[in-house]
Amino acid sequence: PMEPIHRGQAPPRPHDEAARLADVRDLGVATSGPDAEIDALVDLAALIADARIGLLTVTEEDEQIFKSAVGIDAAGTSREVSFCGHAIAAGTEPMIVPDARLDPRFVDNPLVTGDPNVVFYLGVPVLTAHGHAVGTLCVADDKPRELTTRQVAALVRLASQVAGLIEARGRVGAAGTRPRVDTGALDR
């Protein structure tokens, strides 16, 4: 028999998977184009963590899409090997993996054993207004790491900002227009 490519643990599905996928679809986050504001927040996340890689991931049914990426030249991965799939299944708190080579979920993961050689990972679920994680704001590095409480708190706040932008873009996309400014108030 053939050996499986991935002997680690595939991420479990969150209990709210159907509603979560509906939010991903309804907000259009996986299909919308590049976003300079989100890119800037992802870059800031990597700077705060002093990490080689920063990502905004969107977790679809079978894949994870890199909506924004710093330090890695890839469009995404299969959900089966994604760290972020584990993060969104774990709940709303940040998931921190100081050394993936020592974690049974990831020890044989191809993202750990090969390029991009992920050793450290921290992923913060990006939550919609309905409380569903559409993906994560995450940082990763090729060496073991520990972040300070303040760094983690800053990344949690950034993830909240990213969620707000995604929600605003989704509302604009659903309406087909940008919100209008009430200029009447300015004329008074």
Side-chain angles (χ1 to χ4, degrees), residues 6-12 80-83 86-87 90 95-98 100 102-110 112 121:
H6 173 60
R7 292 183 302 274
Q9 298 173 8
E80 181 181 327
V81 300
S82 74
F83 280 64
H86 286 275
M95 183 180 91
I96 304 170
V97 180
L102 305 176
D103 189 313
R105 296 171 294 178
F106 306 112
V107 68
D108 291 328
N109 186 304
V112 175
Y121 169 89

Side-chain angles (χ1 to χ4, degrees), residues 113-163:
T113 60
D115 192 43
N117 303 298
V118 173
V119 174
F120 166 78
Y121 169 89
L122 183 144
V124 182
V126 174
L127 305 173
T128 67
H130 300 117
H132 307 300
V134 293
T136 67
L137 176 66
C138 66
V139 292
D141 215 330
D142 57 2
K143 57 186 173 283
R145 302 281 306 278
E146 296 278 344
L147 296 185
T148 68
T149 303
R150 290 178 62 83
Q151 286 173 302
V152 175
L155 294 171
V156 168
R157 287 188 179 139
L158 277 181
S160 179
Q161 292 296 311
V162 168

Side-chain angles (χ1 to χ4, degrees), residues 57-71:
T57 66
V58 177
T59 307
E60 291 271 25
E61 190 165 358
D62 296 316
E63 66 182 332
Q64 138 176 293
I65 297 163
F66 296 166
K67 173 74 177 155
S68 179
V70 172

Side-chain angles (χ1 to χ4, degrees), residues 23-116:
D23 273 359
V24 169
R25 181 187 64 249
D26 293 347
L27 291 170
V29 65
T31 55
S32 60
D35 188 312
E37 288 178 275
I38 288 176
D39 291 346
L41 293 176
V42 169
D43 188 46
L44 186 56
L47 288 169
I48 288 168
D50 193 25
R52 189 170 59 92
I53 296 170
L55 298 165
L56 171 59
T57 66
V58 177
T59 307
E60 291 271 25
E61 190 165 358
D62 296 316
E63 66 182 332
Q64 138 176 293
I65 297 163
F66 296 166
K67 173 74 177 155
S68 179
V70 172
I72 188 170
D73 188 26
T77 68
S78 75
R79 186 169 177 178
E80 181 181 327
V81 300
S82 74
F83 280 64
C84 301
H86 286 275
I88 66 166
T92 60
E93 295 299 311
M95 183 180 91
I96 304 170
V97 180
D99 191 336
R101 300 167 302 183
L102 305 176
D103 189 313
R105 296 171 294 178
F106 306 112
V107 68
D108 291 328
N109 186 304
L111 301 174
V112 175
T113 60
D115 192 43

